[in-house]
Amino acid sequence: MVLNKFDCSLGEVKFQGCICNASGPRCTELDQLTKIDNSKSCMVLSKSATPKMREGNKKPRYWDHDLGSINSMGLPNNGIQYYVAIASQISGPYFISISGGSLEENCEMIDQIMACNSKIDGIEINLSCPNIIGKGQLAYDFEKLGNYLDGIIECLDVRGLEKAIGVKLPPYFDMWQFEVVAKILMKYPIDFITCVNSIGNGLIIDIDTETTLIKPKGGFGGIGGSYIKPTGLANVRKFYEIFQENGSKIKIIGCGGIETGKDVFEYILCGAELVQIGTQFYKENTKCFSRLENELSEIMERKGYSDLNQFRGKLKRR
Ligand code: DHB
């Protein structure tokens, strides 16, 4: 295989490109996943799956805004069997996102993925969905997080770890939180973390009608898009610094508010191995992947970089 300047990897899985879809918009149905497969996205990542299909929360549950988006989808998805069954129809690297309501549900889904004979290259375990009515975000419960990962690793270990395994994290905001979470994560043989999920339980309001934009949970929902880029960058940077200081090999997928090639460059400069696109992919569809790659390429050429390793993580301090 010819080396491409955007090549990167997670565990044993190699990617020809560094930009892909985030689990969220436009990745629930096979035809949507096929469109991603036929685009410049470097992987195909499914909508977060649950053991059984779910309709999700009441509509309207997603709203676009100039500065980003708010959603409270409530995990509408076709159920894990569907995402396992379609693996044979996807040619590029295929990752399944899982978001079980309990450790047992996640292990049940991991077993189904591991038992599949078709190629499934990785699992992104979502520990940070903010939109399940009556449930908190597991990755904010630092006491439960370690036990939870113990359980996940135990069920993965049974069949070996040939796939790339990672966890999707919510944004953290205080410096001690990064230290505590990184210390827990570094105990486990995970290949990557994805930083960040939407900022949970934000509120966007329409002043003309004096109404919330979305219906579920009294209008509270996950915030994505430009609103959250500084938070995403900070999470990638802080985890990168801690992993470097400790010699950890955990890689970081950057996510949050990427709209241009400059944003991609910034995430990689902070230490991201690759990046995911959520809100902008919703707005622009699959052509965002080639546009972003072209814009990143132009910046790299201007700066004289011929591959990502020449600047990845090399953010300078003033
Ligand atoms: C949903 C939202 C998330 O932020 C997430 O990580 C998983 C699912 C949702 O509401 O469907």
Side-chain angles (χ1 to χ4, degrees):
M1 199 189 290
V2 186
L3 260 174
N4 173 308
K5 67 177 170 182
F6 303 117
D7 283 359
C8 47
S9 65
L10 299 172
E12 303 297 311
V13 186
K14 308 257 184 293
F15 304 93
Q16 293 182 294
C18 62
I19 303 170
C20 66
N21 73 296
S23 178
R26 303 183 185 279
C27 57
T28 303
E29 308 297 334
L30 176 60
D31 70 307
Q32 297 175 316
L33 294 162
T34 302
K35 283 180 187 139
I36 297 171
D37 200 17
N38 293 331
S39 79
K40 270 285 194 173
S41 178
C42 70
M43 76 164 93
V44 178
L45 174 58
S46 77
K47 170 72 183 164
S48 289
T50 50
K52 297 263 164 345
M53 76 90 78
R54 284 173 59 97
E55 299 283 354
N57 293 339
K58 295 223 168 78
K59 294 178 183 172
R61 58 191 185 183
Y62 183 96
W63 208 279
D64 251 334
H65 184 270
D66 294 346
L67 300 175
S69 61
I70 183 164
N71 89 84
S72 184
M73 304 301 288
L75 280 168
N77 78 94
N78 289 316
I80 187 66
Q81 263 186 337
Y82 178 91
Y83 299 103
V84 169
I86 63 174
S88 60
Q89 296 179 64
I90 293 173
S91 57
Y94 178 43
F95 279 48
I96 297 180
S97 166
I98 59 171
S99 190
S102 63
L103 176 59
E104 291 68 33
E105 285 193 2
N106 276 326
C107 286
E108 187 190 316
M109 289 191 282
I110 289 170
D111 278 347
Q112 283 176 259
I113 293 171
M114 292 298 182
C116 174
N117 290 324
S118 314
K119 188 180 69 67
I120 299 171
D121 300 282
I123 309 176
E124 186 181 77
I125 303 159
N126 186 353
L127 303 179
S128 51
C129 175
N131 300 334
I132 300 305
I133 295 164
K135 270 205 186 257
Q137 287 165 268
L138 184 101
Y140 283 143
D141 187 333
F142 302 137
E143 274 173 33
K144 285 207 191 117
L145 184 60
N147 284 340
Y148 206 91
L149 289 173
D150 276 335
I152 297 266
I153 294 305
E154 203 173 304
C155 72
L156 283 165
D157 259 347
V158 178
R159 297 175 201 264
L161 280 178
E162 80 279 12
K163 300 182 195 304
I165 306 296
V167 294
K168 181 151 180 187
L169 297 174
Y172 297 103
F173 299 97
D174 214 346
M175 287 305 183
W176 68 268
Q177 298 176 323
F178 295 107
E179 300 289 342
V180 169
V181 173
K183 204 167 163 192
I184 296 171
L185 295 170
M186 288 187 297
K187 287 198 225 149
Y188 298 96
I190 55 173
D191 301 296
F192 69 94
I193 59 173
T194 303
C195 301
V196 293
N197 205 326
S198 52
I199 296 184
N201 301 304
L203 191 56
I204 309 184
I205 292 166
D206 174 11
I207 67 152
D208 291 336
T209 59
E210 303 178 7
T211 313
T212 61
L213 291 186
I214 57 170
K215 186 177 181 73
K217 286 180 72 180
F220 291 81
I223 305 293
S226 339
Y227 284 120
I228 78 166
K229 194 183 83 174
T231 301
L233 288 174
N235 276 254
V236 168
R237 185 62 189 169
K238 195 66 211 168
F239 278 117
Y240 184 80
E241 285 177 357
I242 300 175
F243 293 160
Q244 289 288 112
E245 282 160 19
N246 289 276
S248 168
K249 294 208 160 60
I250 300 175
K251 288 184 174 173
I252 304 173
I253 301 182
C255 186
I258 295 175
E259 293 179 350
T260 65
K262 173 177 166 289
D263 301 326
V264 179
F265 187 88
E266 289 178 17
Y267 268 97
I268 295 171
L269 194 64
C270 285
E273 177 73 7
L274 56 98
V275 298
Q276 294 177 349
I277 317 298
T279 298
Q280 190 60 30
F281 172 41
Y282 178 87
K283 293 182 180 184
E284 189 180 344
N285 216 331
T286 51
K287 68 181 191 308
C288 71
F289 303 117
S290 50
R291 177 182 62 80
L292 290 167
E293 192 175 278
N294 291 338
E295 290 173 5
L296 174 64
S297 183
E298 273 170 34
I299 294 171
M300 286 170 61
E301 263 166 46
R302 203 168 66 229
K303 287 172 170 280
Y305 293 132
S306 51
D307 75 67
L308 304 178
N309 289 322
Q310 293 172 348
F311 65 97
R312 180 180 286 115
K314 299 201 170 133
L315 177 68
K316 292 186 276 245
R317 296 181 178 199
R318 253 200 211 286

